Amino acid sequence: MTVLVNRLDKRVSILRPPGPDDTDPAGQPLDDPVEVCTVWGGIEPLRGREFFSAQQVNAEVTTRIRLRYRDGIDRTMLVRFKGVVFEILYVINPNYENKELQLMCKERQ
């Protein structure tokens, strides 16, 4: 476990989409994601690419975010780090040991 602890040096927030019961003080439904928790994580950019789509240049960065195992994290959630929001593409539980989660993410544009 000490190897994993040394890499968890960033504070990241896990966000979930707002549900039907999530409302603001005026009773209106929320549009913004709701923060579930803030945890220590490690962020590793894996690759980046640029591509042309409909006469626009788009950039995509694939990132792995590691954190201690936590139940309830799924692909519908987002991760925020210093104002950058990542979409979770895959949630990996290595060897099903429930020690760490690897979130394979894409940076939101």
Side-chain angles (χ1 to χ4, degrees), residues 1-12 14 37-42 65-73 91-94 97-103:
M1 189 64 150
T2 58
V3 174
L4 179 62
V5 170
N6 293 337
R7 291 183 279 182
L8 305 181
D9 58 351
K10 312 268 188 305
R11 291 297 277 177
V12 298
I14 308 295
C37 61
T38 300
V39 296
W40 288 101
I65 300 175
R66 297 175 187 253
L67 42 111
R68 288 186 184 92
Y69 181 81
R70 185 178 186 92
D71 205 21
I73 295 179
V91 178
I92 301 170
N93 181 0
E97 293 177 339
N98 294 349
K99 291 183 179 180
E100 85 171 288
L101 288 179
Q102 295 181 10
L103 308 178

Side-chain angles (χ1 to χ4, degrees), residues 37-100:
C37 61
T38 300
V39 296
W40 288 101
I43 300 177
E44 307 167 28
L46 299 177
R47 69 181 174 98
R49 69 180 182 152
E50 284 188 11
F51 57 95
F52 293 94
S53 173
Q55 302 290 340
Q56 297 177 354
V57 177
N58 296 307
E60 182 178 293
V61 177
T62 305
T63 305
R64 176 174 41 212
I65 300 175
R66 297 175 187 253
L67 42 111
R68 288 186 184 92
Y69 181 81
R70 185 178 186 92
D71 205 21
I73 295 179
D74 60 30
R75 291 178 32 180
T76 64
M77 296 181 170
L78 304 169
V79 179
R80 181 176 55 216
F81 174 67
K82 291 188 176 180
V84 178
V85 178
F86 299 92
E87 295 178 24
I88 299 175
L89 302 175
Y90 303 103
V91 178
I92 301 170
N93 181 0
N95 300 322
Y96 296 96
E97 293 177 339
N98 294 349
K99 291 183 179 180
E100 85 171 288

